[in-house]
Amino acid sequence: MKKHIYLPTLHSKFLLEIDVIHLKISCQTLREKALLEFLYSTGCRIGEVEKINIEDQNWENCSVIVNGKGSKQREVYFTTECKIWLKKYSY
């Protein structure tokens, strides 16, 4: 009887700084720039961003409440640069 040995597979990929710069340059609209900056600065998933309500944002703290996996709520913080892009897009 043979035993199977399972080796973990590495799925972790990360972006280099140059990759992030290329992504930012490739954004064509305010919406794309704001979304990319928000995703990058908070680490949120797309599904979490879809569920964000405007009243969940706190502009003073640069934070927002997101609903994650399993309906768990958490507060995430975004950068000042992200705040600028979000304000430009929303107004």
Side-chain angles (χ1 to χ4, degrees):
M1 184 167 173
K2 291 184 180 181
K3 287 190 177 184
H4 294 283
I5 298 173
Y6 294 99
L7 298 174
T9 57
L10 299 176
H11 294 273
S12 299
K13 291 185 180 180
F14 55 91
L15 295 173
L16 299 174
E17 186 176 356
I18 192 73
D19 297 329
V20 175
I21 291 168
H22 286 300
L23 280 171
K24 287 182 178 184
I25 291 170
S26 69
C27 292
Q28 297 177 356
T29 64
L30 282 176
R31 181 178 185 225
E32 289 174 354
K33 290 176 183 177
L35 182 58
L36 176 65
E37 196 62 45
F38 186 82
L39 290 169
Y40 183 68
S41 68
T42 63
C44 285
R45 298 173 183 90
I46 295 287
E48 294 171 335
V49 175
E50 288 178 329
K51 298 175 190 173
I52 292 175
N53 295 316
I54 195 72
E55 58 269 3
D56 294 334
Q57 285 184 326
N58 184 336
W59 293 111
E60 292 175 16
N61 285 347
C62 290
S63 67
V64 65
I65 303 294
V66 296
N67 294 309
K69 289 183 173 181
S71 298
K72 293 181 183 176
Q73 285 189 340
R74 71 181 193 282
E75 186 173 21
V76 296
Y77 298 91
F78 48 87
T79 62
T80 305
E81 183 179 355
C82 179
K83 180 180 178 178
I84 292 167
W85 285 112
L86 289 172
K87 292 255 186 184
K88 283 182 181 181
Y89 172 66
S90 62
Y91 295 110

